Coordinates of all heavy atoms in Angstrom, one line a residue:
L211 N 12.6 -77.1 4.0 CA 11.6 -78.0 4.5 C 10.9 -78.7 3.3 O 10.4 -78.0 2.4 CB 10.6 -77.3 5.3 CG 11.0 -76.9 6.7 CD1 9.9 -76.1 7.4 CD2 11.4 -78.1 7.6
P212 N 10.8 -80.1 3.2 CA 10.3 -80.7 2.1 C 8.7 -80.6 2.1 O 8.1 -80.9 1.0 CB 10.7 -82.2 2.3 CG 11.0 -82.3 3.7 CD 11.5 -81.0 4.2
V213 N 8.1 -80.2 3.2 CA 6.7 -80.0 3.3 C 6.5 -78.5 3.6 O 6.8 -78.1 4.7 CB 6.0 -80.9 4.2 CG1 4.5 -80.7 4.2 CG2 6.3 -82.3 4.1
H214 N 5.9 -77.8 2.6 CA 5.8 -76.3 2.8 C 4.6 -75.9 1.9 O 4.5 -76.1 0.8 CB 7.1 -75.7 2.2 CG 7.3 -74.3 2.6 ND1 8.5 -73.7 3.0 CD2 6.4 -73.3 2.8 CE1 8.4 -72.5 3.3 NE2 7.1 -72.2 3.2
A215 N 3.7 -75.3 2.7 CA 2.5 -74.8 2.0 C 2.5 -73.3 1.8 O 2.9 -72.5 2.6 CB 1.3 -75.2 2.9
L216 N 2.1 -72.9 0.6 CA 1.8 -71.6 0.3 C 0.3 -71.2 0.4 O -0.5 -71.9 -0.1 CB 2.3 -71.3 -1.2 CG 1.9 -69.9 -1.8 CD1 2.7 -68.8 -1.1 CD2 2.2 -69.9 -3.3
V217 N 0.1 -70.2 1.1 CA -1.3 -69.7 1.3 C -1.5 -68.3 0.9 O -0.8 -67.4 1.5 CB -1.8 -69.9 2.8 CG1 -3.2 -69.4 3.0 CG2 -1.5 -71.3 3.3
V218 N -2.3 -67.9 -0.1 CA -2.4 -66.6 -0.6 C -3.9 -66.1 -0.2 O -4.8 -66.8 -0.6 CB -2.2 -66.5 -2.1 CG1 -2.4 -65.1 -2.6 CG2 -0.9 -67.1 -2.5
S219 N -3.9 -65.0 0.5 CA -5.3 -64.6 1.0 C -5.3 -63.1 1.0 O -4.7 -62.4 0.1 CB -5.6 -65.2 2.3 OG -6.9 -64.9 2.7
H220 N -5.9 -62.5 2.0 CA -6.3 -61.1 2.0 C -5.9 -60.4 3.4 O -5.7 -61.1 4.3 CB -7.8 -60.9 1.8 CG -8.4 -61.6 0.6 ND1 -8.5 -60.9 -0.6 CD2 -8.7 -62.9 0.4 CE1 -9.0 -61.8 -1.5 NE2 -9.1 -62.9 -0.9
G221 N -5.8 -59.1 3.3 CA -5.4 -58.3 4.5 C -6.1 -58.6 5.8 O -5.4 -59.0 6.8
A222 N -7.3 -58.3 5.8 CA -8.0 -58.5 7.1 C -8.1 -59.9 7.6 O -8.0 -60.2 8.7 CB -9.5 -57.9 7.0
Y223 N -8.2 -60.8 6.6 CA -8.3 -62.3 6.9 C -6.9 -62.7 7.5 O -6.9 -63.4 8.5 CB -8.5 -63.1 5.6 CG -8.7 -64.5 5.9 CD1 -9.9 -65.1 6.1 CD2 -7.5 -65.4 5.9 CE1 -10.0 -66.5 6.3 CE2 -7.7 -66.7 6.1 CZ -8.9 -67.3 6.3 OH -9.0 -68.7 6.5
L224 N -5.8 -62.2 7.0 CA -4.6 -62.6 7.4 C -4.2 -62.0 8.8 O -3.6 -62.6 9.6 CB -3.4 -62.2 6.4 CG -3.4 -63.1 5.2 CD1 -2.4 -62.5 4.2 CD2 -3.1 -64.6 5.5
C225 N -4.8 -60.8 9.1 CA -4.7 -60.2 10.4 C -5.3 -61.2 11.5 O -4.7 -61.4 12.6 CB -5.4 -58.9 10.5 SG -4.5 -57.5 9.7
V226 N -6.4 -61.7 11.1 CA -7.2 -62.6 12.1 C -6.3 -64.0 12.2 O -6.2 -64.5 13.2 CB -8.6 -62.9 11.6 CG1 -9.3 -64.0 12.5 CG2 -9.4 -61.6 11.6
T227 N -5.8 -64.4 11.1 CA -4.9 -65.6 11.1 C -3.7 -65.4 12.0 O -3.4 -66.3 12.8 CB -4.4 -65.9 9.7 OG1 -5.6 -66.2 8.8 CG2 -3.6 -67.1 9.7
M228 N -3.1 -64.3 11.9 CA -1.9 -64.0 12.8 C -2.3 -64.1 14.3 O -1.6 -64.7 15.1 CB -1.3 -62.7 12.4 CG -0.6 -62.6 11.0 SD 0.6 -63.8 10.6 CE -0.2 -64.6 9.3
R229 N -3.4 -63.5 14.6 CA -3.9 -63.5 16.0 C -4.2 -64.9 16.4 O -3.9 -65.3 17.5 CB -5.1 -62.6 16.1 CG -5.5 -62.3 17.6 CD -6.5 -61.2 17.7 NE -5.9 -59.9 17.3 CZ -5.3 -59.1 18.2 NH1 -5.1 -59.6 19.4 NH2 -4.8 -58.0 17.9
F230 N -4.8 -65.7 15.5 CA -5.1 -67.1 15.8 C -3.8 -67.9 16.1 O -3.7 -68.7 17.0 CB -5.8 -67.8 14.6 CG -5.9 -69.3 14.7 CD1 -6.7 -69.9 15.6 CD2 -5.2 -70.0 13.8 CE1 -6.8 -71.3 15.6 CE2 -5.3 -71.4 13.8 CZ -6.1 -72.1 14.7
L231 N -2.8 -67.7 15.3 CA -1.5 -68.4 15.5 C -0.9 -68.0 16.8 O -0.3 -68.9 17.5 CB -0.6 -68.1 14.3 CG -1.0 -68.6 12.9 CD1 -0.1 -68.2 11.8 CD2 -1.1 -70.2 12.9
V232 N -1.0 -66.8 17.2 CA -0.3 -66.4 18.4 C -1.2 -66.7 19.6 O -0.7 -67.2 20.6 CB 0.0 -64.8 18.3 CG1 0.5 -64.3 19.7 CG2 1.0 -64.5 17.3
D233 N -2.5 -66.3 19.6 CA -3.3 -66.4 20.8 C -3.8 -67.9 21.0 O -3.9 -68.3 22.1 CB -4.5 -65.4 20.7 CG -4.1 -64.0 20.8 OD1 -2.9 -63.8 21.2 OD2 -4.9 -63.1 20.5
D234 N -4.1 -68.6 19.9 CA -4.7 -69.9 20.1 C -3.6 -71.0 20.0 O -3.7 -72.0 20.8 CB -5.7 -70.1 19.0 CG -7.0 -69.3 19.3 OD1 -6.9 -68.1 19.3 OD2 -8.1 -69.9 19.3
L235 N -2.7 -70.8 19.1 CA -1.6 -71.9 19.0 C -0.3 -71.5 19.7 O 0.7 -72.3 19.7 CB -1.3 -72.1 17.5 CG -2.5 -72.6 16.6 CD1 -2.0 -72.9 15.2 CD2 -3.2 -73.8 17.2
H236 N -0.3 -70.4 20.4 CA 0.8 -70.0 21.3 C 2.0 -69.8 20.6 O 3.2 -70.2 21.1 CB 0.9 -70.9 22.4 CG -0.4 -71.3 23.1 ND1 -1.1 -70.3 23.9 CD2 -1.2 -72.4 23.2 CE1 -2.2 -70.8 24.3 NE2 -2.3 -72.1 23.9
C237 N 2.0 -69.3 19.3 CA 3.3 -68.9 18.6 C 3.9 -67.7 19.2 O 3.2 -66.7 19.3 CB 3.0 -68.7 17.1 SG 4.4 -68.2 16.2
P238 N 5.1 -67.8 19.7 CA 5.8 -66.5 20.2 C 5.9 -65.5 19.1 O 6.2 -65.8 18.0 CB 7.1 -67.1 20.7 CG 7.0 -68.6 20.7 CD 6.1 -68.9 19.7
V239 N 5.8 -64.2 19.6 CA 6.1 -63.1 18.7 C 7.6 -63.0 18.5 O 8.3 -63.1 19.5 CB 5.5 -61.8 19.3 CG1 5.9 -60.6 18.4 CG2 4.0 -61.9 19.4
P240 N 8.1 -62.9 17.3 CA 9.5 -62.9 17.1 C 10.2 -61.8 17.9 O 9.7 -60.8 18.1 CB 9.7 -62.7 15.6 CG 8.4 -63.1 15.0 CD 7.3 -62.8 16.0
D241 N 11.5 -62.0 18.3 CA 12.3 -61.0 18.9 C 12.3 -59.7 18.1 O 12.5 -59.8 16.8 CB 13.7 -61.5 19.2 CG 13.7 -62.6 20.3 OD1 12.7 -62.7 21.0 OD2 14.7 -63.3 20.3
G242 N 12.1 -58.6 18.7 CA 12.2 -57.4 17.9 C 10.9 -56.9 17.2 O 10.9 -55.9 16.6
C243 N 9.9 -57.8 17.3 CA 8.6 -57.5 16.7 C 7.6 -57.3 17.8 O 7.4 -58.2 18.7 CB 8.2 -58.7 15.8 SG 6.6 -58.5 14.9
S244 N 6.8 -56.2 17.7 CA 5.8 -56.0 18.7 C 4.6 -56.7 18.3 O 4.3 -57.1 17.2 CB 5.5 -54.5 18.8 OG 5.0 -54.0 17.6
R245 N 3.7 -56.9 19.3 CA 2.4 -57.5 19.0 C 1.6 -56.6 18.0 O 0.9 -57.2 17.1 CB 1.5 -57.7 20.3 CG 2.0 -58.9 21.1 CD 1.2 -59.0 22.4 NE -0.2 -59.3 22.2 CZ -0.7 -60.5 22.1 NH1 0.1 -61.6 22.1 NH2 -2.0 -60.7 21.8
A246 N 1.7 -55.3 18.1 CA 1.1 -54.4 17.2 C 1.5 -54.7 15.8 O 0.6 -54.7 14.8 CB 1.3 -53.0 17.6
R247 N 2.7 -54.8 15.5 CA 3.3 -55.1 14.2 C 2.8 -56.5 13.7 O 2.4 -56.7 12.6 CB 4.7 -55.0 14.1 CG 5.3 -55.5 12.8 CD 6.7 -55.2 12.5 NE 7.3 -55.9 11.4 CZ 7.0 -55.6 10.1 NH1 6.2 -54.7 9.8 NH2 7.6 -56.3 9.2
M248 N 2.8 -57.5 14.7 CA 2.4 -58.9 14.3 C 1.1 -58.9 13.8 O 0.8 -59.7 12.9 CB 2.6 -59.7 15.6 CG 2.3 -61.2 15.4 SD 3.8 -62.0 14.7 CE 3.1 -63.6 14.2
F249 N 0.1 -58.1 14.3 CA -1.2 -58.1 14.0 C -1.7 -57.0 13.0 O -2.8 -56.8 12.8 CB -2.1 -58.0 15.2 CG -1.9 -59.1 16.2 CD1 -1.9 -58.8 17.6 CD2 -1.5 -60.4 15.9 CE1 -1.7 -59.8 18.5 CE2 -1.2 -61.4 16.8 CZ -1.3 -61.1 18.2
S250 N -0.7 -56.3 12.5 CA -0.9 -55.2 11.6 C -1.2 -55.7 10.2 O -1.0 -56.8 9.9 CB 0.2 -54.2 11.6 OG 1.4 -54.8 11.0
L251 N -1.8 -54.8 9.4 CA -2.1 -55.1 8.0 C -0.9 -55.3 7.2 O 0.0 -54.5 7.1 CB -2.9 -54.0 7.4 CG -3.5 -54.2 6.0 CD1 -4.6 -55.3 6.0 CD2 -4.1 -52.9 5.4
S252 N -0.8 -56.5 6.5 CA 0.3 -56.8 5.6 C 0.3 -55.8 4.4 O -0.8 -55.5 3.9 CB 0.3 -58.2 5.1 OG 1.2 -58.5 4.1
P253 N 1.5 -55.4 3.9 CA 1.5 -54.6 2.7 C 1.1 -55.5 1.6 O 1.1 -56.8 1.7 CB 2.9 -54.3 2.5 CG 3.7 -55.3 3.3 CD 2.8 -55.7 4.5
N254 N 0.5 -55.0 0.5 CA 0.2 -55.8 -0.6 C 1.4 -56.6 -1.1 O 2.5 -56.1 -1.3 CB -0.3 -54.9 -1.8 CG -1.7 -54.3 -1.6 OD1 -1.8 -53.1 -1.4 ND2 -2.7 -55.2 -1.5
A255 N 1.1 -57.9 -1.4 CA 2.1 -58.9 -1.7 C 3.2 -59.1 -0.6 O 4.3 -59.6 -0.8 CB 2.8 -58.5 -3.0
G256 N 2.8 -58.7 0.6 CA 3.7 -59.0 1.8 C 3.7 -60.5 2.1 O 2.7 -61.2 1.8
V257 N 4.8 -60.9 2.7 CA 5.0 -62.3 3.0 C 5.3 -62.5 4.5 O 6.0 -61.8 5.1 CB 6.2 -62.8 2.2 CG1 6.5 -64.4 2.5 CG2 6.0 -62.7 0.7
S258 N 4.7 -63.6 5.1 CA 4.9 -64.0 6.4 C 5.2 -65.5 6.4 O 4.7 -66.2 5.6 CB 3.7 -63.7 7.3 OG 3.4 -62.4 7.4
R259 N 6.1 -65.9 7.3 CA 6.5 -67.3 7.3 C 6.6 -68.0 8.7 O 7.1 -67.3 9.6 CB 7.8 -67.5 6.5 CG 8.2 -69.0 6.4 CD 9.3 -69.2 5.4 NE 8.9 -68.8 4.1 CZ 9.7 -68.5 3.1 NH1 11.0 -68.5 3.3 NH2 9.2 -68.1 1.9
F260 N 6.1 -69.2 8.7 CA 6.1 -69.9 10.0 C 6.7 -71.3 9.8 O 6.6 -71.8 8.7 CB 4.7 -70.1 10.6 CG 4.0 -68.8 11.0 CD1 3.5 -67.9 10.1 CD2 4.0 -68.4 12.3 CE1 3.0 -66.7 10.4 CE2 3.4 -67.2 12.7 CZ 2.9 -66.3 11.8
A261 N 7.2 -71.9 10.8 CA 7.7 -73.3 10.8 C 7.1 -74.0 12.0 O 7.1 -73.4 13.1 CB 9.2 -73.4 10.9

Side-chain angles (χ1 to χ4, degrees):
L211 287 173
V213 185
H214 196 143
L216 172 68
V217 181
V218 182
S219 187
H220 305 265
Y223 183 95
L224 289 175
C225 287
V226 177
T227 299
M228 297 302 117
R229 191 170 289 276
F230 166 71
L231 295 174
V232 171
D233 291 346
D234 290 57
L235 298 186
H236 310 296
C237 178
V239 174
D241 292 341
C243 178
S244 66
R245 284 178 64 88
R247 170 167 170 73
M248 187 79 191
F249 304 143
S250 65
L251 185 68
S252 170
N254 287 113
V257 179
S258 300
R259 182 166 297 158
F260 294 77

